[in-house]
Amino acid sequence: DGGITQSPKYLFRKEGQNVTLSCEQNLNHDAMYWYRQDPGQGLRLIYYSQIVNDFQKGDIAEGYSVSREKKESFPLTVTSAQKNPTAFYLCASRRLPAGPNNEQFFGPGTRLTVL
Amino acid sequence: GQNIDQPTEMTATEGAIVQINCTYQTSGFNGLFWYQQHAGEAPTFLSYNVLDGLEEKGRFSSFLSRSKGYSYLLLKELQMKDSASYLCAVRDLGNQGGKLIFGQGTELSVKP
């Protein structure tokens, strides 16, 4: 079955540690996105990538890093520089170029808690 | 600036009809999306509007007025499983990969 997978579902991190969240898709989508969701707030864009080996900062990129070495994979690293990392992290992908009804498909999410 | 507003919470009765409103102010516009999100799960796509008017899909319909910066999601014959958060999102123009700007979401509770 085609889809987007994220792992792990739950992740606990000690302060000062870097941690990497996995996102894999087999939909042959060109663009991939990372969002952060906090209670009572909408999804906020962290990073996105439209092509392999290229990515751009979103609205809240500070304290995060990404890589796009393969079309299928877009891992997100939450570094110790991110001051408030506890949140629900969602990965999404979609086909390019943009066209009518070209929606983003979301993965199941990773809930990160800093202890 | 970019701003999308929707009510924080709504309550409705099973079998009834509910309308969730969304107003937006964005620098560009390339379509409006509605997503449904159950607690702790991924958002799932419900509807897409890029032209003015009503799009109907089963029990769900979505309306758009670009001149008013306004959309609504209409849910008919409500079921208990419709209890979820409903996210309004606008696709901006420009070069940010078709970036979606999300509202905070409307938490809908369906009561028996």
Side-chain angles (χ1 to χ4, degrees):
Chain A
D1 283 358
I4 304 176
T5 57
Q6 291 185 242
S7 61
K9 189 169 178 64
Y10 299 96
L11 188 58
F12 297 90
R13 188 194 94 173
K14 293 181 180 178
E15 281 194 41
Q17 283 183 338
N18 292 356
V19 64
T20 298
L21 282 59
S22 166
C23 177
E24 304 278 332
Q25 54 96 3
N26 60 4
L27 299 167
N28 199 31
H29 285 173
D30 300 288
M32 297 186 74
Y33 306 82
W34 273 105
Y35 293 92
R36 170 185 171 135
Q37 188 174 34
D38 295 280
Q41 296 192 40
L43 278 69
R44 292 182 290 167
L45 183 66
I46 304 172
Y47 267 98
Y48 69 99
S49 168
Q50 298 185 75
I51 195 170
V52 173
N53 292 324
D54 188 50
F55 47 83
Q56 282 77 40
K57 294 181 179 179
D59 300 317
I60 54 165
E62 185 175 350
Y64 299 97
S65 66
V66 293
S67 63
R68 188 86 186 275
E69 297 177 0
K70 298 186 300 183
K71 188 176 184 178
E72 302 80 17
S73 178
F74 192 41
L76 173 74
T77 297
V78 185
T79 74
S80 56
Q82 169 50 235
K83 297 307 178 188
N84 188 22
T86 294
F88 189 45
Y89 290 87
L90 286 159
C91 179
S93 71
R94 73 179 183 94
R95 284 182 292 110
L96 289 179
N101 217 21
N102 198 358
E103 74 269 23
Q104 290 186 11
F105 291 83
F106 285 86
T110 292
R111 187 165 297 280
L112 173 65
T113 303
V114 174
L115 303 173
Chain B
Q2 317 270 50
N3 194 46
I4 298 182
D5 284 320
Q6 41 180 143
T8 305
E9 297 176 327
M10 296 184 72
T11 302
T13 304
E14 191 176 15
I17 299 173
V18 71
Q19 177 174 312
I20 303 174
N21 296 324
C22 172
T23 57
Y24 63 90
Q25 291 177 308
T26 55
S27 55
F29 180 84
N30 193 21
L32 186 143
F33 295 80
W34 284 95
Y35 284 85
Q36 179 192 60
Q37 186 180 25
H38 287 97
E41 297 182 11
T44 55
F45 170 75
L46 289 178
S47 69
Y48 170 79
N49 295 71
V50 68
L51 299 175
D52 291 351
L54 188 69
E55 294 282 342
E56 297 187 77
K57 191 184 292 186
R59 293 190 298 116
F60 294 4
S61 303
S62 57
F63 172 84
L64 175 68
S65 169
R66 289 172 295 170
S67 62
K68 295 182 180 177
Y70 168 70
S71 173
Y72 67 73
L73 180 70
L74 193 71
L75 291 77
K76 303 176 186 174
E77 301 170 15
L78 280 172
Q79 301 175 10
M80 300 297 290
K81 68 177 182 179
D82 296 329
S83 292
S85 185
Y86 291 85
L87 311 178
C88 173
V90 171
R91 177 184 288 160
D92 200 354
L93 289 170
N95 58 5
Q96 281 205 318
K99 170 184 172 180
L100 290 183
I101 304 162
F102 283 86
Q104 66 184 25
T106 298
E107 192 69 37
L108 174 66
S109 297
V110 179
K111 308 285 186 190

